[in-house]
Amino acid sequence: GPVWRTGFEKFLEKYLLWSSYAPEEKSVMLAYASIYGHTENAANILAAKLWERGVRVRMYDTSVTPASYIVSDAFRCSHLVLASSSYNAGIFVTMENLVHDIVNHNLQGRKIAVIENGSWAVTSGKLIRELLSKLKNTQFIGENITVRSALKEDQLSVLDALADEIAADIKG
């Protein structure tokens, strides 16, 4: 294999960072799984609100983006927001796969917010929290935000409050 004669300290820095599970940057990885577009809409609104507050956001649709890309940014970012539709009294399949990947990679020390959506049996948020609560040093930001089918005008203030809390934590 190759022999590195210079710049070895950069490799060592990365190894120490990655082995400690410390995030590389104070930013948000926002992943969503949407069936009819309403969960995506809520995620887009939150992303815009975070961006307005000066927070860098990396946003992914779990239905089209390979989980490996999303997991790598989950390691890179200090905060995660997972937004998912409920599906058959569970988590929408692509989000469920992502959450299992995050747990299987043993991601640690992140602050996580959860947005759940559904018409009657809204269960995705509770199930996502249960799975991610197994991870060391995981802190959840507030309670789950529940969207019933589509985001209502009066729920914008809830997204504002979440964006304020995340931005304050990142900038603090």
Side-chain angles (χ1 to χ4, degrees), residues 8-57:
F8 184 72
E9 62 279 350
K10 290 181 183 178
F11 291 106
L12 189 56
E13 282 175 30
K14 288 291 187 185
Y15 175 80
L16 292 173
L17 180 69
W18 293 335
S19 66
S20 70
Y21 294 94
E24 292 180 50
E25 59 188 48
K26 289 192 171 210
S27 61
V28 174
M29 188 285 296
L30 193 161
Y32 66 88
S34 189
I35 299 171
Y36 300 111
H38 299 298
T39 306
E40 178 181 11
N41 182 52
N44 280 325
I45 291 169
L46 178 61
K49 290 178 179 298
L50 288 166
W51 190 257
E52 288 169 356
R53 289 159 175 77
V55 175
R56 182 177 177 160
V57 179

Side-chain angles (χ1 to χ4, degrees), residues 101-172:
D101 275 352
I102 290 171
V103 171
N104 290 337
H105 281 87
N106 198 28
L107 182 64
Q108 300 173 18
R110 297 300 184 275
K111 295 184 179 179
I112 303 171
V114 179
I115 300 172
E116 61 183 357
N117 190 356
S119 296
W120 52 88
V122 185
T123 57
S124 61
K126 177 181 178 257
L127 297 170
I128 289 170
R129 265 186 197 252
E130 285 174 4
L131 290 166
L132 294 176
S133 65
K134 300 173 187 174
L135 300 173
K136 279 182 165 178
N137 302 319
T138 295
Q139 295 177 3
F140 289 99
I141 302 167
E143 298 299 318
N144 294 344
I145 293 175
T146 301
V147 176
R148 297 256 177 209
S149 294
L151 194 65
K152 310 296 185 280
E153 183 85 24
D154 62 346
Q155 289 182 296
L156 294 175
S157 62
V158 176
L159 292 181
D160 273 320
L162 177 59
D164 287 341
E165 188 172 355
I166 293 171
D169 192 55
I170 285 177
K171 292 179 178 184

